Amino acid sequence: MSRSKRLKYIAAVVILLFIGAYARHRYLANKITVTGRLQDRSMSEASGIAASGINNEIFYVHNDSGDTSRFFVINDHGQLINTVYFKGDGSQYRGVNDCEDIAVGPGPETGKSYIYIGDIGDNFFVRPTIIIYRIQESKSLFDSNKKQVKATPIYLRYPDGPKDAETLMIDPLEKLLYIVTKRGDRVGVYTASLNFTPGDTTTLTKRATLTFGGIKPLKWITGGDISKDGEHILLKSYQEVYYWDRKEGESVWQSMQRKPYKPRYEEEKLGEGIGFSADGKGYYTVGEGVFAPIYYYKTP
């Protein structure tokens, strides 16, 4: 074999090895693990999941519209640790209208972590305001004797009329609350400051419009999350997961205008909930149904 042919052969082998290593990396990054199932019938319509900011083994989930003003404290095996109630300010279902997502992040007091529950669903586009409930995290939430907590409502309105939304996210870097609308060929990205006066109504700021491929309703955006360090972003539809790696100096809404990476996703029955693990190295998804499985994926 001539020297030039040997060099071409070696180059081809190196390229094949690189392709194989890259493919293996992507496979491992997209490996799916079922960590458990929601182990109580009361969690039959899970619509959101979020990792605790004070305990890496704790997660919060809540039901879709039709439930009362409550959320559930679980571990990643789906074991129910506590059911926590709060006083809602909605007009239906004993205090809430249509809670669609949950997030955890900073708030008014430095060094504290807060749970945000998004009463943001509006199937008929008739709500003049939507409500976010903010609850300070504490270890008492993990005690089954703790059943009632104080929730501070945040009232929000869209600058361009009522919208249906199922995605609530908290950006810990710019201290912004994010809402991404659900329906249509194009969805809107809206923000509001986490610094607000309780009782006031704030007008959201529209930041961007996003377009996703697919057919309705499978392409509708049903959930999202921002990692606790603010560096990773997720949105999901009923059929896909979309991921962005936030670049230095970017706002979340600017990152989401770049083409997303679409990792492997195990399609679920009405899969709406998605949330990063506390360390941001992975994320969880959960759908509706009695004893629904909890899926874990590594962050790309």
Side-chain angles (χ1 to χ4, degrees):
M1 184 185 291
S2 66
R3 183 172 182 274
S4 62
K5 286 184 177 180
R6 272 200 313 273
L7 290 174
K8 288 180 180 179
Y9 175 78
I10 293 170
V13 170
V14 170
I15 290 171
L16 289 173
L17 289 173
F18 175 80
I19 292 173
Y22 180 79
R24 176 175 171 77
H25 167 75
R26 281 302 186 193
Y27 171 79
L28 291 174
N30 292 320
K31 186 178 179 182
I32 301 170
T33 302
V34 176
T35 63
R37 291 179 176 271
L38 298 178
Q39 296 176 29
D40 194 283
R41 290 181 177 274
S42 60
M43 300 181 283
S44 61
E45 293 188 72
S47 184
I49 183 169
S52 166
I54 61 174
N55 186 323
N56 293 346
E57 298 179 354
I58 293 294
F59 297 82
Y60 306 111
V61 297
H62 68 93
N63 283 329
D64 207 334
S65 61
D67 201 7
T68 187
S69 51
R70 64 178 179 175
F71 62 95
F72 307 100
V73 183
I74 65 168
N75 58 27
D76 67 351
H77 300 301
Q79 179 184 0
L80 179 61
I81 296 170
N82 195 14
T83 302
V84 182
Y85 293 83
F86 60 94
K87 184 180 182 300
D89 199 29
S91 60
Q92 302 180 46
Y93 309 119
R94 289 179 287 169
V96 291
N97 297 287
D98 187 358
C99 292
E100 290 290 354
D101 206 1
I102 189 168
V104 173
E109 191 171 342
T110 302
K112 300 293 185 181
S113 180
Y114 295 82
I115 303 165
Y116 294 82
I117 300 174
D119 188 351
I120 57 177
D122 188 6
N123 290 331
F124 301 104
F125 303 91
V126 295
R127 297 177 64 180
T129 59
I130 54 177
I131 309 172
I132 311 296
Y133 296 99
R134 187 180 67 199
I135 299 160
Q136 184 175 318
E137 272 201 277
S138 69
K139 292 181 180 179
S140 65
L141 295 177
F142 318 146
D143 181 353
S144 60
N145 293 319
K146 179 71 171 181
K147 295 296 185 183
Q148 192 78 29
V149 294
K150 180 182 178 181
T152 301
I154 309 167
Y155 303 96
L156 302 169
R157 68 164 68 94
Y158 293 97
D160 47 357
K163 303 284 186 294
D164 186 28
E166 295 191 357
T167 302
L168 168 68
M169 305 186 294
I170 302 297
D171 176 14
L173 300 184
E174 294 190 325
K175 305 295 190 296
L176 290 175
L177 177 154
Y178 271 79
I179 292 176
V180 181
T181 59
K182 176 182 179 180
R183 308 186 193 201
D185 294 321
R186 294 155 66 85
V187 299
V189 180
Y190 298 81
T191 67
S193 172
L194 291 180
N195 296 319
F196 68 94
T197 302
D200 284 356
T201 299
T202 299
T203 299
L204 291 155
T205 300
K206 187 171 185 180
R207 298 292 188 174
T209 301
L210 308 178
T211 303
F212 298 97
I215 62 173
K216 304 173 185 177
L218 298 179
K219 71 174 185 176
W220 288 349
I221 300 302
T222 62
D225 198 20
I226 301 168
S227 60
K228 299 262 189 299
D229 60 9
E231 295 182 1
H232 308 283
I233 307 159
L234 289 169
L235 288 179
K236 80 175 298 295
S237 67
Y238 289 116
Q239 203 168 37
E240 300 276 7
V241 168
Y242 304 98
Y243 167 81
W244 294 266
D245 187 17
R246 186 178 188 174
K247 297 185 183 300
E248 186 176 354
E250 278 187 338
S251 294
V252 167
W253 61 268
Q254 292 173 324
S255 299
M256 290 193 294
Q257 291 182 85
R258 291 189 278 104
K259 183 179 180 180
Y261 171 66
K262 295 194 291 186
R264 181 184 174 197
Y265 170 59
E266 182 69 27
E267 195 171 334
E268 301 156 287
K269 175 186 176 183
L270 294 177
E272 297 183 358
I274 189 167
F276 280 105
S277 58
D279 60 11
K281 294 181 179 179
Y283 57 92
Y284 296 83
T285 68
V286 65
E288 294 187 8
V290 177
F291 308 129
I294 303 170
Y295 293 95
Y296 174 80
Y297 305 77
K298 288 186 178 180
T299 300

